[in-house]
């Protein structure tokens, strides 16, 4: 039977690393011991960092001593007290006694080393090494006390390095480690991270994130197949969850993406940590020691299937180093890049500006100090001058396979950064990152915006369709065509949750097929308001009702829809043009429940009439007047009415061509135009009550009361008054047009026939076109004119789709 890599005694010993935050106090040590026991890996290799801020305190101690500050003695006493209490609080009195004796010896050795007249690099390293040793001894002792066979291992016994930055002697280190592992078969080894030794036995340090590097290096030397780094976070998120809402833990991350994230200064991973992973067969996992069951991130060698950005990362305090290169620009920049990379100081980002003979390179503050010092010494040989260091910058980046080849993501990134004091943007040559350097500003809003645009979970949107007539069917076909595009670009998931016609409706939480709604509609007897009250547990993030009807009955339930937090998009004019009391009640409901009501399709079909009024108001304009020809039917009739045909003949012709409502009186009575005028006036911010609008009805009273058949029989009764009006227009050298007008100053509103001059914007339209003239403070003498087809199923459906797009885009 093949032995599992995790089985006791197996050659493939798993590696676990616990950082300083995971070992911050006695409770943390017990938590870590519990994790180790829960893994049931009797021969695990455990790499540990110094507890809490111990290493920082050791460094501060050294600095105080070198400067001659008497506080060095106080700092040493504080270190001793912290470690003493940590041992006492973690172990029982009997268990603690031998470790306390060793601690006394260590403090004496540190004090003796400090008494040396001059501390060299190796003595400083020796003093800094104690933090990891103390953690290793304490955790091993705790495990033994809990019944787990464990031993503490000083990494200097096997890990040999040389050079600067340090290079590992793989052959020697591997050979020494194998001897030690053989001696401790079936036993947990708690190994000190961060430290190593050279050929002369002097202490060497592995640098920033050295303990993480120790863990993956140990796994490579021990031929381990699994390495887990435990810290205070469960892995890599799509952004820093402390700064960005709704981040996602990435359960899988490619090695190349992880390396790019590390290169850009991520505190979660370091480039050196990933080197041994790439050079071995180990799998790397990141987990939280505080919440072991909160998921993890696994680093994989293969690339993700889908290209594009997966992470938004940042460095708050970035530093720019700049230099002038007067000759041989490209060659010297390439040489300097290689020179810095060899010293593990490859820039986070750089900008070549050969036209200015300038090269800019960006670093974290920690890296910048070292890079600037080295470059200053290298200046004569490097062939550059005017070396400068500039602080006060931030780095923001998108990371992911092929992100630089994703137009949509690049566009979001460029637009977002262009609104800030941008220094430069650099797409990585390997396509794994898009990096921006900006002057330092609060970047949380930028990070939030980028994350929302790129990574937020698609919002689940349920759509309720009302009206399966011509416009509703046209929209269904458009929705079917556009659904995938809308979902991709707006990061939403759309479901046609319900569809309603005059005989009832259908609801399906899994979604309705468009073809079924179009061709096999089998409505249920859904009674208001019973079915509406049952929507409370619908399971969507948002519900949207699309009203393609002309139903006053449905409009009366708009407040009920709003109370259920259902947004409304309407081609139905009756709500926007309702009596003042109902309209104000609806507006109040919308405000109280933070629900949106969009109605661009109610006026002008696909023409940008309401949006233009909004834009003018947002730009500081005050609407003074609105006028125009708002009916496609009446536009067609009066463009053709020149006396060559009677008006009744034209009405019959328009009706036969489907250019009028089924009953032409609904066009001729001016009520539809009145509704549009009221909607526009209200959109412009005026409380226009429909009762205030003076409407000229082109249908005589005698015809208005007849049924439709009799109306058509007596249609010629329209001719005499219209012929008289036409003659009056011609006498004034003008043309007859059906015009709606609203004057903001007087509050007067009217709908009816007018004589306009031949040179007027309303005089010469394409038959059926609408025209809207908007007068504002700066568009008074020369009004803004919008003209085009104001009716038609396809353009009206398009307007509804545009409103839906706008609504979905607002769901952040």
């Amino acid at each position: 039977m093949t032995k599992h890599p995790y089985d006791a005694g197996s050659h493939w010993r798993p590696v676990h690393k616990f950082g300083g935050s995971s070992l911050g106090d006695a409770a943390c040590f017990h938590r870590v011991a519990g994790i180790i026991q829960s893994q049931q890996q009797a021969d695990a290799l455990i790499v540990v960092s110094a507890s809490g801020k111990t290493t920082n305190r050791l460094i501060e101690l050294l600095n105080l001593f070198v400067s001659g500050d008497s506080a060095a003695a106080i700092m040493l006493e504080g270190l001793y007290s912290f470690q003493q209490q940590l041992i006492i609080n973690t172990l029982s009195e009997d268990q603690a006694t031998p470790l306390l004796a060793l601690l006394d010896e260590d403090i004496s050795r540190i004090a003796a080393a400090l008494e040396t007249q001059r501390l060299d690099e190796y003595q400083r390293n020796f003093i800094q090494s104690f933090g990891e040793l103390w953690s290793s001894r304490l955790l091993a002792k705790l495990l033994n006390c809990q019944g787990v066979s464990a031993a503490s291992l000083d990494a200097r016994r096997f890990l040999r390095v040389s050079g600067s930055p340090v290079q590992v002697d793989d052959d020697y280190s591997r050979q020494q480690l194998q001897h030690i592992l053989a001696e401790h078969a079936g036993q947990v080894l708690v190994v000190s991270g961060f430290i190593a030794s050279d050929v002369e036995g002097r202490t060497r340090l592995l640098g920033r994130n050295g303990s993480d590097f120790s863990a993956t290096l140990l796994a490579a030397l021990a031929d381990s197949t699994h390495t887990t780094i435990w810290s205070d976070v469960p892995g890599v998120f799509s952004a820093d969850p402390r700064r960005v809402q709704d981040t996602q833990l990435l359960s899988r991350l490619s090695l190349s993406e992880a390396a790019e994230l590390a290169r850009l200064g991520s505190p979660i991973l370091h480039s050196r940590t990933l080197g041994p992973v790439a050079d071995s067969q180990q799998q790397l996992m990141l987990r939280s020691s505080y919440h072991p069951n909160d998921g993890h991130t696994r680093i994989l060698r293969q690339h993700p299937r889908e290209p594009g950005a997966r992470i938004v990362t940042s460095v708050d305090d970035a530093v720019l180093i700049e230099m002038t290169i007067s000759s041989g620009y490209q060659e010297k920049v390439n040489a300097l890049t290689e020179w810095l990379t060899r010293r593990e100081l490859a820039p986070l980002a750089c900008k070549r500006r050969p036209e200015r003979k300038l090269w800019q390179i960006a670093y974290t503050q920690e890296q910048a100090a070292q890079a600037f010092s080295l470059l200053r010494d290298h200046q004569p040989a490097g062939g550059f001058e005017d070396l400068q260091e500039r602080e006060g910058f931030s780095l923001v980046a998108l990371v992911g396979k092929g992100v630089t080849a994703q137009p949509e993501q690049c566009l979001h990134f460029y637009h977002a950064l262009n609104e800030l004091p941008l220094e430069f943007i650099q797409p990585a040559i390997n396509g794994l990152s898009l990096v921006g350097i900006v002057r330092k500003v609060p970047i949380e809003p930028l990070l939030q915006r980028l994350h929302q645009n790129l990574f937020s979970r698609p919002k689940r949107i349920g759509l309720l369709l009302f009206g399966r007539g011509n416009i509703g069917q046209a929209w269904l076909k458009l929705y079917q065509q556009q659904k995938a595009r809308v979902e991709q670009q707006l990061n939403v998931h759309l479901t046609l949750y319900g569809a309603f016609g005059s005989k009832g409706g259908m609801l399906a939480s899994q979604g309705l097929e468009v073809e079924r709604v179009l061709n096999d509609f089998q409505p249920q007897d859904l009674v208001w308001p019973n079915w509406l009250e049952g929507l409370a547990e619908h399971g969507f993030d948002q519900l949207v009702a699309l009203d393609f009807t002309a139903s006053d009955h449905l409009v009366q339930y708009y407040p009920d829809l709003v109370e259920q937090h259902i947004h409304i998009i309407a081609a139905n004019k009756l709500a926007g043009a309702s009596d003042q009391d109902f309209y104000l009640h609806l507006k109040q409901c919308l405000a109280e429940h933070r629900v949106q009501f969009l109605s661009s399709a109610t006026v002008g079909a696909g023409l940008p009439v309401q949006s233009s009024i909004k834009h003018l108001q947002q730009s500081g304009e005050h609407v003074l007047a609105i006028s125009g020809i708002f009916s496609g039917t009446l536009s067609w009739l009066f463009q053709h009415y020149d006396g060559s045909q009677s008006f009744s003949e034209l009405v019959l012709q328009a009706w036969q061509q489907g250019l009028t409502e089924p009953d032409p009186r609904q066009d001729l009575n001016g009520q539809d135009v009145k509704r549009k005028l009221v909607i526009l006036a209200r959109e412009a911010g005026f409380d226009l009550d429909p009762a205030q609008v003076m409407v000229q009805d082109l249908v005589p009273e005698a015809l208005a009361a007849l049924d439709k058949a009799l109306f058509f029989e007596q249609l010629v009764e329209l001719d005499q008054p219209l012929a008289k009006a036409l003659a009056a227009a011609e006498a004034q050298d003008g043309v007859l047009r059906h015009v709606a007008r609203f004057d903001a100053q007087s509050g007067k509103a009217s709908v009816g026939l007018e004589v306009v001059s031949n040179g007027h914007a309303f005089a010469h339209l394409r038959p059926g076109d609408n025209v809207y003239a908007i007068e504002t403070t700066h568009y008074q003498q020369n009004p803004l004119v919008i003209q085009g087809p104001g009716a038609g199923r396809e353009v009206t459906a398009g307007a509804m789709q545009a409103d839906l797009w706008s609504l979905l885009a607002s769901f952040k």
Side-chain angles (χ1 to χ4, degrees), residues 6 91 337 342 458 501 716 752:
Y6 286 175
L91 305 172
T337 302
R342 285 200 305 270
V716 292

Side-chain angles (χ1 to χ4, degrees), residues 65 106 456 535-536 631 667 690 716:
F65 179 80
D106 292 339
S456 295
L535 289 184
S631 166
D667 298 298
V716 292

Side-chain angles (χ1 to χ4, degrees), residues 615-745:
H615 179 76
L616 288 168
Q617 290 177 306
Q618 291 166 0
S619 65
E621 294 286 339
H622 295 286
V623 175
L624 303 177
I626 301 171
S627 61
I629 297 173
F630 296 178
S631 166
T633 301
L634 294 168
S635 170
W636 186 92
L637 287 171
F638 287 100
Q639 286 292 331
H640 284 93
Y641 186 46
D642 57 5
S644 60
Q645 286 181 279
S646 67
F647 191 76
S648 60
E649 289 174 338
L650 286 172
V651 170
L652 187 60
Q653 186 178 335
W655 178 74
Q656 290 170 341
Q657 294 180 20
L659 301 177
T660 73
E661 292 292 334
D663 188 338
R665 287 174 291 189
Q666 294 178 21
D667 298 298
L668 298 173
N669 63 15
Q671 292 301 310
D672 188 64
V673 173
K674 179 184 77 171
R675 295 186 191 104
K676 295 176 183 178
L677 184 62
V678 171
I679 290 170
L680 292 184
R682 286 173 169 173
E683 189 68 53
F686 301 99
D687 291 328
L688 179 61
D689 193 301
Q692 296 175 259
V693 184
M694 302 296 295
V695 180
Q696 179 185 5
D697 191 343
L698 301 184
V699 182
E701 258 184 71
L703 295 185
L706 301 177
D707 64 37
K708 189 167 72 173
L710 286 174
F711 165 71
F712 276 107
E713 289 178 8
Q714 299 180 35
L715 196 57
V716 292
E717 293 186 23
L718 296 175
D719 293 339
Q720 185 178 355
L722 267 299
K724 186 177 179 180
L726 179 61
E730 291 173 343
Q732 298 175 49
D733 197 26
V735 292
L736 194 62
R737 296 292 181 262
H738 191 274
V739 179
R741 290 191 182 277
F742 170 71
D743 182 79
Q745 292 179 322

Side-chain angles (χ1 to χ4, degrees), residues 165-167 270 272 339-346 367:
V166 296
Q167 300 298 315
H270 188 264
R272 296 208 73 191
W339 184 83
L340 288 165
T341 301
R342 285 200 305 270
R343 287 156 179 79
E344 296 187 351
L345 285 170
Q367 293 171 309

